[in-house]
Amino acid sequence: MRDFLSDFDAGGSEPEANPLARAQASQRPPRAKRFYKEASVGADGEGFTVLLDARPVRTPARALLRVPTRALAEALAAEWAAQGTDIDPLSMPLTRLVNVALDRVAPEAGAVRDEVLGYAGTDMLFYRAEGPTRLVERQALHWDPVLAWAREAHGAAFYLSEGVCHVAQPQDALARIRALLPEAPLPLAAVHVLTTLTGSALLALAVAEGVVDADSAWLAAHVDEDWNREQWGEDEIATARREARRQEFDAAVTLLRVG
């Protein structure tokens, strides 16, 4: 079966949303027509698959799109079932993420964990504003509980810095964070996406452990951005990008919760 998500652009949004999206859309291949009537879930003894008119979906690398839980397979099938006359990959973030997990994360899990750990070494939560006071207080409100969780639950204590000057973090603390990274490709892919979207491996792992819910994590990840929006107003293109990123964020959270 042809894969219709191989051209997916994670940073895109609907063509009507903004000029940038329209320009991106002009470079994408035409959408494929929906070729199936029904999307359902199958079981093959090794896991659960998505079936389109009884034919299993495959990843871009031609692997069977097989997942460990029925709940995840049902969520994937729901994305396929929701397609209209055309298949819109942008409306299928969970399917795309599972494809990436199976095709790219699984064979390179060590490198993916290294990349997440690299974020942890310069985690957004470590670098605090020098002012104004309200921004400093807002950062502390949203970020300090995550650092407290890492310290108290896992013995990983980190140094904080004002401004953007790099501060080297204790290797023991980083080793403890590495030990928290998932081994399996699906949750590892989800943590990687959350890390890159938020700029914080600690925040991503707090979500993975259920310490922080999705809305709280999203708010914590955008403290500085929201502060600037309050001071200078919203930008249409930035808002559209943020909405597209939230879809990817929610897909990663779903993968953690039902995968």
Side-chain angles (χ1 to χ4, degrees), residues 115-131:
E115 186 171 346
V116 174
L117 193 65
Y119 274 86
T122 57
D123 204 278
M124 174 187 70
L125 306 189
F126 305 153
Y127 296 90
R128 305 302 177 92
E130 299 175 1

Side-chain angles (χ1 to χ4, degrees), residues 91-112:
S91 67
M92 306 173 74
L94 185 59
T95 300
R96 175 188 179 275
L97 179 53
V98 171
N99 281 341
V100 170
L102 297 177
D103 285 352
R104 298 173 59 187
V105 174
E108 300 182 43
V112 174

